[in-house]
Amino acid sequence: MSEEKAKRLTIYNTLSRTKEPFEPLHSPFVGMYVCGPTVYNDIHLGNCRTFISFDMIYRYLLHLGYKVRYVRNITDAGHLEGDRDEGDDKFAKRAKLEQLEPMEIVQKYTLGFHEVLALFNTLPPSIEPTATGHIIEQIEMIKKIITEGFSYETNGSVYFDVQKYGKKYDYGQLTNRKPEELLEGTRELGGQDEKRGRLDFALWIKAKPETLMQWPSPWGWGFPGWHIECSAMSTKYLGTTFDIHGGGMDLQATHHTNEIAQSKACNHTSPAKYWMHTNMLTVNGVRMSKTAGNGFLPRELFSGDHPLLERGYSPMTVRFFMAQSHYRSTLDFSNEALQAAEKGYKKLMESLSVLEKLSPSAASSVDIAELQEKCYAAMNDDFNSPILIAHLFDGVRIINSVNDKKETLTASGLETLKELMHTFIFDVLGLRDESKSMGGSDVTEGLMKLIIDIRKSARENKDWSTSDKIRDELKAIGIEIKDTKEGVEWRI
Ligand code: AMP
Ligand code: ZN
């Protein structure tokens, strides 16, 4: 592994609220757990931002040579509408609405989630465990938390005792909040409540006769609370303490705070060394979510079929748009920003074709090693992708200057530049060249050659209507052809 470069990696740790040098517990092995989707409906672009950000983080760790076990769960049970065990079961509600079995809902939206993430060119995690597949592990963990004295059973449900936990540990550690502040926003308990304290949360919830997904447990038939699944599955696959735990910022105050509490109560240790949180994708400053009505689906984004969209944008345009902002900054969606990203992405891809054609000179007039260093420095600074992209555009300027004979590069300078551009654009940022990959490279190339030849014959025969028809109809399906001095060029 690239020891020297890996040594300089710093990560912003939500727990300490500082950037810390990344020192894995068992280098070169890295354990990373990211909270996955709740698969009761289609994922929206906001969710995608979080998973794409962690994909870039995963890719950079792999590039540095770490052997990463990346665990990203699928929440397929036990998620009520409110974070604090309130409201209906999301899966049961959806199953009724679509007149399907809850597990059909799970299957349908898990497949949809995988399809979307594949379009965005994200790498699959090493393990993708499901909550329903780990009921036994969750029950075992709850039993241990009861034995340790941090939870209580009431009428077939089990609750975590936050007040008791707070006497030994700091419950508000992750959000840097005091108990009084944490109580703000929670409702007073009524006489009907089974919980002893307002901050207490469910580890196990007693099933009603009509509950569709329920399992037997020492406390009767029921289902697990949402937070316990991540504690049980991260412990099972990564151990009681592992390196990185991540998710969207909205998970920090409740879900992750409760995960820490459960793990400390059960295993007497904090689950993760580094806590990483991605910021939200917003529309006009409002967080993108289904409930706000501004959470459009990736397929609507690609087709342009949504009132917020002026037209469609390709998956790589969107991925590039996301990489242009740091994962800890909010990112506001707009058509203008996506159109600018589309231009930037195309410019980057076009520069790679130019780079292939450059000829070496006897001496270099620019220092490519320095540029390479700057790219690593950007990523080592808490995965600063916008700064990395700025350096990659310095690379584009160099490519164009060499092409215009204003700068020169030796053969080895050209090699380093190629390696640098390819590594950071494809391996680290996770982009792909859509003009090459859409439709299956060789077949597309072959068909385009055939069409261009037919058009050429038509033009030689002065059959302008056929030639124009070919150009216009290709344009209508998103393929542009251009007549240049060197011949006909095309791009998707
Ligand atoms: P969910 O399926 O609702 O549990 O969300 C899956 C992931 O998407 C979680 O890590 C959330 O924090 C994240 N997420 C939800 N909304 C947004 C948003 N608008 N921007 C970025 N991430 C989000
Ligand atoms: Zn989780």
Side-chain angles (χ1 to χ4, degrees):
M1 81 182 264
S2 171
E3 304 267 348
E4 184 255 327
K5 288 185 181 100
K7 250 188 236 151
R8 288 183 280 141
L9 175 62
T10 57
I11 293 184
Y12 181 87
N13 191 350
T14 315
L15 209 52
S16 64
R17 287 167 284 283
T18 52
K19 267 186 221 170
E20 295 175 15
F22 182 55
E23 284 156 6
L25 296 161
H26 311 286
S27 186
F29 300 99
V30 170
M32 175 161 99
Y33 187 93
V34 172
C35 291
T38 309
V39 287
Y40 74 104
N41 62 7
D42 286 309
I43 76 163
H44 59 68
L45 197 67
N47 305 132
C48 294
R49 182 187 186 202
T50 287
F51 300 124
I52 293 172
S53 296
F54 280 105
D55 181 63
M56 181 197 67
I57 289 164
Y58 177 44
R59 283 168 174 276
Y60 189 58
L61 293 173
L62 291 178
H63 172 69
L64 289 179
Y66 287 116
K67 309 217 174 315
V68 188
R69 180 178 292 168
Y70 174 19
V71 183
R72 189 184 63 207
N73 69 301
I74 295 274
T75 297
D76 60 351
H79 203 165
L80 302 182
E81 280 172 323
D83 277 352
R84 293 202 173 269
D85 338 311
E86 288 144 1
D88 290 333
D89 179 316
K90 287 177 171 174
F91 294 94
K93 208 172 164 185
R94 193 75 189 194
K96 277 190 204 121
L97 196 71
E98 296 197 25
Q99 297 194 317
L100 293 172
E101 275 291 313
M103 278 320 260
E104 281 182 290
I105 293 290
V106 165
Q107 180 74 1
K108 176 176 168 185
Y109 293 108
T110 303
L111 289 177
F113 168 66
H114 288 159
E115 253 171 53
V116 167
L117 285 201
L119 282 172
F120 283 122
N121 203 31
T122 61
L123 300 172
S126 331
I127 306 177
E128 199 170 41
T130 62
T132 54
H134 295 77
I135 299 292
I136 293 169
E137 287 81 352
Q138 296 177 73
I139 291 174
E140 287 306 308
M141 193 160 190
I142 298 169
K143 275 162 59 182
K144 179 103 193 286
I145 298 172
I146 295 178
T147 314
E148 294 289 335
F150 290 107
S151 56
Y152 54 91
E153 187 202 335
T154 315
N155 186 29
S157 292
V158 182
Y159 295 98
F160 191 92
D161 191 335
V162 174
Q163 211 182 3
K164 191 153 181 210
Y165 174 84
K167 291 202 176 110
K168 188 162 179 195
Y169 302 104
D170 177 7
Y171 178 70
Q173 186 188 26
L174 194 62
T175 44
N176 198 20
R177 283 195 219 156
K178 300 200 170 58
E180 314 81 75
E181 293 172 65
L182 289 165
L183 280 170
E184 282 168 24
T186 60
R187 58 170 187 82
E188 293 288 345
L189 292 182
Q192 301 295 315
D193 277 293
E194 292 173 347
K195 291 183 199 177
R196 290 182 195 158
R198 274 155 69 189
L199 292 172
D200 293 0
F201 56 91
L203 298 174
W204 187 262
I205 302 162
K206 181 189 165 89
K208 296 188 187 115
E210 68 274 20
T211 304
L212 294 173
M213 292 164 103
Q214 46 176 296
W215 293 266
S217 79
W219 317 285
W221 283 81
F223 56 94
W226 170 35
H227 317 298
I228 194 76
E229 69 172 272
C230 289
S231 295
M233 295 190 282
S234 62
T235 307
K236 174 161 174 141
Y237 297 110
L238 298 171
T240 50
T241 309
F242 50 92
D243 298 294
I244 299 173
H245 193 314
M249 250 174 204
D250 56 321
L251 301 184
Q252 203 179 315
T254 308
H255 184 54
H256 291 165
T257 291
N258 292 347
E259 267 190 58
I260 295 178
Q262 292 168 155
S263 287
K264 280 197 175 171
C266 179
N267 305 323
H268 313 148
T269 161
S270 196
K273 190 170 174 189
Y274 305 88
W275 281 85
M276 297 183 73
H277 290 98
T278 53
N279 213 326
M280 297 290 109
L281 180 68
T282 59
V283 182
N284 297 324
V286 179
R287 179 187 149 190
M288 185 178 281
S289 74
K290 288 277 174 54
T291 37
N294 62 0
F296 49 80
L297 309 177
R299 80 174 116 79
E300 295 168 332
L301 185 71
F302 305 147
S303 67
D305 189 14
H306 190 281
L308 282 172
L309 297 166
E310 284 170 15
R311 61 178 174 80
Y313 303 95
S314 76
M316 287 306 107
T317 295
V318 180
R319 187 159 179 150
F320 184 75
F321 161 70
M322 291 183 180
Q324 278 179 312
S325 82
H326 189 255
Y327 78 88
R328 281 193 292 115
S329 311
T330 51
L331 171 60
D332 200 49
F333 169 88
S334 74
N335 281 283
E336 298 74 51
L338 272 162
Q339 280 156 26
E342 188 177 74
K343 273 197 197 130
Y345 164 71
K346 283 189 176 157
K347 205 168 151 188
L348 210 51
M349 290 304 126
E350 279 160 13
S351 78
L352 296 182
S353 312
V354 177
L355 179 58
E356 286 308 312
K357 293 179 203 144
L358 295 182
S359 333
S361 302
S364 286
S365 62
V366 268
D367 188 351
I368 301 299
E370 189 187 312
L371 183 65
Q372 193 173 33
E373 269 311 301
K374 284 182 179 166
C375 291
Y376 279 105
M379 285 307 284
N380 279 338
D381 182 14
D382 190 29
F383 310 94
N384 201 326
S385 56
I387 300 286
L388 168 68
I389 290 174
H391 295 315
L392 291 175
F393 276 105
D394 286 338
V396 172
R397 267 189 293 278
I398 294 170
I399 293 168
N400 292 334
S401 300
V402 175
N403 194 37
D404 295 342
K405 314 264 182 278
K406 288 180 190 141
E407 301 278 5
T408 56
L409 282 177
T410 59
S412 91
L414 277 177
E415 266 321 296
T416 313
L417 185 56
K418 266 184 215 167
E419 190 201 297
L420 170 170
M421 298 297 280
H422 282 254
T423 299
F424 284 100
I425 293 173
F426 299 124
D427 301 351
V428 174
L429 290 180
L431 295 169
R432 58 181 155 69
D433 188 347
E434 283 176 333
S435 70
K436 292 215 172 86
S437 55
M438 273 171 82
S441 52
D442 290 350
V443 177
T444 315
E445 292 283 338
L447 286 173
M448 284 308 295
K449 190 175 173 308
L450 179 68
I451 292 169
I452 288 167
D453 282 349
I454 295 172
R455 181 169 170 269
K456 194 170 159 224
S457 315
R459 285 168 78 90
E460 280 163 6
N461 295 329
K462 301 210 170 4
D463 177 2
W464 307 118
S465 77
T466 303
S467 148
D468 288 351
K469 185 176 156 68
I470 291 174
R471 192 199 52 215
D472 294 346
E473 295 206 356
L474 283 175
K475 194 164 181 206
I477 57 164
I479 300 174
E480 190 182 57
I481 54 174
K482 227 164 56 185
D483 295 296
T484 70
K485 273 183 269 162
E486 287 81 30
V488 182
E489 280 179 5
W490 65 273
R491 61 177 190 166
I492 298 176

